[in-house]
Amino acid sequence: MSATVSFQGIGASPGVAVGHAFVIDARKVRTPKVKLKPTDAEAEVMRFRTAISLSDKQLEDLKTKLSTGAENEHALILEAHRMMLHDPMFLVEVTRLIKEETINAEWAVRRVCRRLRHQFDNLEDEYFRERKSDIEFVADRLVRNLMGEVVDQELEVPVGAVVVAHDISPADAAMLVKTGKVGAFVTDLGGHTSHTAIVARARDVPAVLGLGNAAEAIRSGDVVAVDGRRGLVLVNPTEAQLALFRETMRRQLATEALALKTAELPSVTIDGVRVRLNGNIEFADEIPSLLAHGAEGIGLYRTEFLFLDRPAPPTEEEHYQAYKAVLEAMGERPVTIRTLDLGGDKVPSNKKWEKETNPALGLRAIRYCLQHRDLFRAQLRALLRASVHGNLKVMFPMVSGISELREARSELEACRSELSRQGVPLGRRVPVGIMVETPSAAWIADRLAQEAEFFSIGTNDLIQYSLAIDRQNRDVAYLYRPMHLSILRMVQHITDAAKKAGIPVSMCGEMAGDSSLTLVLLALGLDEFSMTSGQIPVVKRIIRSVSMTEAKELLTKAMQFSTAEEIERFVKNEMDKRFANEA
Ligand code: PEP
Ligand code: MG
């Protein structure tokens, strides 16, 4: 076997896969360059028009093939390609070159596309820079059609193959995932927001992109191990490395199998206590996976991710489109959209951000929004406009006291009045809730519960602020203990306050998806848990196999210990007794 080579790229779609490489020939279509006789120019323009119609028809056919349910995203990409084909500037420029410079259509198409690509090169926005490759795909299709080559030939990918390419067109990526045979994607170009990444994530196919020069180094048939979370690709791995990958894969497959079995079942304890299991998302394309894993709604949509890869904030319309897409994809299921939690570690990459000595305690989340009202208002208006498209709830992050909640609420009300004065249709009344993630909010939960319609406990921050440990700092990571008695008491205090006031209480921090803590959290009285899609099935399985009575007994005993280590040890023992043989 050849020597092991490893590549580090961008982990664009999580998951682990091992398979034989299927290298897609990424060689460029050679463009013939021919000088025409002036008298042939008209006929050449006709040839160009015919190629446009043919390309358009091919894209339309592809769209029809793909236009079912979750593939809708792909259909939109193909529609964008069709729009590029019909772009008046493009048509006029190619025609002009054919007529004035008397060059053949292939050459003219390439020249105009090259110019367009240069314009995209200078854009700061990553998303738009990525669209450069879309121009390339459209140009390739046109040139191939002009030359009478075969386009959209069905690639016979062997089951489980790792598809390796310099770049993959969105059309090819969509067709390939639809076959259900692709084990993973590995490409030299692309990044988190490229369409291959979007398509791969939406279908749970692991992908590592942006590898630079992997496609040349990998031969069809090589064994390739892909870790889509870490962005790691191993070519011809050693037996030991393979064993590790296979073990991770085995665990993931077992979890998936479980997911399929439990997706439709309610999360209810054997003594009839019903809780809701929701999903956390950063991007809309995570929704199909969430639904497949049985999420009943979205408990946390981290909207700041709309910001992070761009130089300028999204416009109200961009916010609106993003929320509309999520609400429509979720139908009647509740969708909790959290207003921007910028600041702390979540700082837009291209924006000059005021350096703070202590960003976690600085101008973050609701504090930032209340000081940047235009930004806040654009988001609130978009949320209210989007509310007609589904079952929306709005949530404010990092509220530390009543005044912040009141101020944020009154801004929302002001936006509502403004919109209704403008005659904009608004949906049903939107419940407004808060993240409880500061100790101050926890201790006045009874008062906050009078003015908020729901709580969601953000344990990532609640632990950070309560135990005084920076969640980014590795040196103090050992102190990050969800089972610290102070955290359990605080969560108990929050759920009690919510219950007294009659409002639902959820948890959306990482702790909610940790299946070793499910019994403890059930007993603490959560109504809803929100987590990443892959965690839902295991948590549901546990909930369905225990009673609230035993969960409460376990919690009472656990809280008699004093240190986090003792509580953890006790809870782990109890969980092992019950679930040691589960996947
Ligand atoms: C939390 O703090 O627990 C939370 C869910 O929010 P984030 O991780 O986005 O700060
Ligand atoms: Mg938080």
Side-chain angles (χ1 to χ4, degrees):
M1 203 201 234
S2 319
T4 302
V5 193
S6 69
F7 292 94
Q8 182 65 51
I10 298 163
S13 176
V16 167
V18 177
H20 289 284
F22 180 83
V23 181
I24 297 180
D25 188 357
R27 269 172 308 171
K28 281 255 152 296
V29 197
R30 268 181 53 89
T31 309
K33 295 180 178 162
V34 183
K35 261 308 225 181
L36 305 171
K37 284 193 257 148
T39 46
D40 290 343
E42 268 316 321
E44 192 67 5
V45 171
M46 277 312 292
R47 207 166 73 84
F48 169 59
R49 297 238 165 96
T50 311
I52 293 268
S53 312
L54 185 57
S55 303
D56 186 64
K57 170 88 176 58
Q58 289 162 350
L59 288 168
E60 174 72 45
D61 290 349
L62 264 179
K63 214 179 104 185
T64 315
K65 269 198 216 166
L66 293 171
S67 64
T68 49
E71 283 85 24
N72 202 21
E73 181 90 49
H74 317 157
L76 288 178
I77 297 168
L78 295 173
E79 195 49 44
H81 285 192
R82 289 182 72 198
M83 279 163 69
M84 284 186 207
L85 273 181
H86 296 292
D87 179 69
M89 198 285 279
F90 175 68
L91 298 176
V92 166
E93 263 307 281
V94 175
T95 309
R96 189 187 67 77
L97 284 183
I98 295 173
K99 285 186 177 165
E100 290 180 11
E101 303 203 14
T102 54
I103 59 173
N104 64 335
E106 289 91 331
W107 192 359
V109 166
R110 282 288 180 221
R111 276 182 52 183
V112 175
C113 285
R114 199 179 324 129
R115 217 177 306 148
L116 277 173
R117 287 185 49 216
H118 283 319
Q119 291 170 5
F120 274 65
D121 271 337
N122 299 328
L123 297 177
E124 269 194 53
D125 186 302
E126 184 201 333
Y127 182 81
F128 284 109
R129 266 201 323 271
E130 292 281 353
R131 303 289 74 81
K132 220 172 52 176
S133 53
D134 290 305
I135 299 178
E136 201 67 28
F137 297 130
V138 173
D140 276 355
R141 178 178 293 279
L142 265 174
V143 170
R144 279 188 207 274
N145 278 324
L146 281 162
M147 293 167 67
E149 285 190 6
V150 186
V151 233
D152 298 327
Q153 75 197 85
E154 300 250 330
L155 292 164
E156 268 310 312
V157 181
V159 176
V162 174
V163 173
V164 179
H166 183 61
D167 198 5
I168 299 179
S169 74
D172 282 346
M175 286 307 276
L176 284 167
V177 292
K178 204 176 163 70
T179 64
K181 294 180 182 170
V182 178
F185 285 113
V186 166
T187 66
D188 290 341
L189 303 184
H192 196 80
T193 51
S194 64
H195 284 133
T196 308
I198 294 173
V199 166
R201 274 200 302 276
R203 299 299 292 257
D204 294 322
V205 176
V208 179
L209 310 185
L211 284 154
N213 58 352
E216 257 186 30
I218 302 175
R219 303 264 161 273
S220 275
D222 279 345
V223 175
V224 183
V226 181
D227 185 332
R229 188 170 301 282
R230 288 189 295 160
L232 181 68
V233 175
L234 294 181
V235 184
N236 298 322
T238 63
E239 272 310 316
Q241 288 170 327
L242 261 185
L244 268 179
F245 266 84
R246 292 225 159 93
E247 176 51 25
T248 314
M249 247 166 79
R250 193 197 61 73
R251 269 190 275 117
Q252 284 182 359
L253 287 175
T255 310
E256 280 309 304
L258 198 67
L260 292 179
K261 278 195 217 142
T262 61
E264 299 299 323
L265 300 173
S267 36
V268 59
T269 63
I270 50 183
D271 49 356
V273 178
R274 178 83 166 85
V275 290
R276 284 187 81 90
L277 298 187
N278 293 328
N280 290 352
I281 61 164
E282 278 86 43
F283 298 101
D285 56 43
E286 295 168 72
I287 291 175
S289 165
L290 217 57
L291 295 178
H293 286 84
E296 295 171 77
I298 290 175
L300 169 65
Y301 174 14
R302 292 181 161 103
T303 57
E304 57 278 5
F305 279 79
L306 289 171
F307 265 68
L308 299 187
D309 277 342
R310 39 186 302 155
T315 59
E316 177 183 319
E317 188 57 25
E318 285 171 311
H319 277 293
Y320 167 74
Q321 291 298 342
Y323 308 148
K324 174 172 178 269
V326 170
L327 286 161
E328 284 182 345
M330 293 301 287
E332 264 308 296
R333 299 177 190 88
V335 173
T336 306
I337 302 188
R338 177 174 79 180
T339 60
L340 297 165
D341 183 8
L342 286 170
D345 59 321
K346 286 179 282 195
V347 171
S349 50
N350 292 313
K351 195 172 187 309
K352 278 201 190 60
W353 198 268
E354 198 70 46
K355 270 244 172 312
E356 294 176 302
T357 325
N358 215 331
L361 303 181
L363 194 57
R364 193 191 146 182
I366 195 67
R367 306 169 180 185
Y368 184 85
C369 285
L370 290 174
Q371 287 200 23
H372 293 81
R373 294 290 173 126
D374 287 350
L375 191 96
F376 195 30
R377 265 194 289 269
Q379 178 170 42
L380 295 178
R381 281 176 55 98
L383 282 165
L384 291 167
R385 283 172 55 202
S387 64
V388 293
H389 300 292
N391 188 352
L392 173 68
K393 297 174 170 191
V394 169
M395 176 160 78
F396 299 125
M398 214 193 160
V399 168
S400 61
I402 297 275
S403 313
E404 276 168 339
L405 172 57
R406 287 186 186 158
E407 255 188 90
R409 259 185 173 286
S410 83
E411 196 63 84
L412 184 69
E413 278 319 306
C415 289
R416 187 197 306 281
S417 316
E418 188 179 59
L419 285 166
S420 75
R421 273 198 310 278
Q422 291 168 345
V424 177
L426 299 171
R428 56 191 141 191
R429 229 188 56 74
V430 178
V432 176
I434 58 163
M435 299 271 302
V436 181
E437 50 184 348
T438 62
S440 59
W443 288 120
I444 57 161
D446 54 336
R447 305 293 171 84
L448 285 164
Q450 301 304 316
E451 305 193 24
E453 282 146 283
F454 62 92
F455 283 163
S456 187
I457 307 177
T459 47
N460 305 340
D461 280 314
L462 187 63
I463 296 172
Q464 150 164 278
Y465 296 129
S466 304
L467 304 186
I469 35 165
D470 179 352
R471 65 195 254 199
Q472 303 299 323
N473 185 337
R474 282 183 200 204
D475 296 335
V476 292
Y478 71 100
L479 289 170
Y480 199 91
R481 304 306 265 270
M483 290 287 98
H484 196 291
L485 188 56
S486 66
I487 301 301
L488 298 180
R489 285 186 175 171
M490 224 178 280
V491 172
Q492 182 80 77
H493 183 80
I494 300 164
T495 54
D496 285 350
K499 292 223 167 339
K500 233 186 204 151
I503 63 168
V505 57
S506 166
M507 179 181 283
C508 61
E510 291 309 300
M511 192 173 165
D514 182 343
S515 56
S516 68
L517 310 180
T518 304
L519 253 69
V520 170
L521 298 179
L522 259 181
L524 283 169
L526 293 179
D527 300 303
E528 302 183 13
F529 297 57
S530 196
M531 60 197 79
T532 52
S533 64
Q535 297 169 319
I536 294 174
V538 183
V539 170
K540 186 187 282 188
R541 173 94 151 230
I542 291 176
I543 291 171
R544 291 179 54 83
S545 61
V546 297
S547 69
M548 183 57 102
T549 317
E550 70 175 297
K552 287 212 162 128
E553 274 169 21
L554 183 144
L555 178 68
T556 308
K557 286 186 188 152
M559 288 181 75
Q560 281 160 12
F561 294 98
S562 300
T563 71
E565 292 78 2
E566 288 163 351
I567 300 178
E568 280 163 15
R569 204 172 316 122
F570 170 75
V571 172
K572 180 172 185 316
N573 271 340
E574 290 297 309
M575 294 302 278
D576 282 351
K577 271 192 232 161
R578 294 170 172 84
F579 306 104
N581 298 323
E582 304 270 325

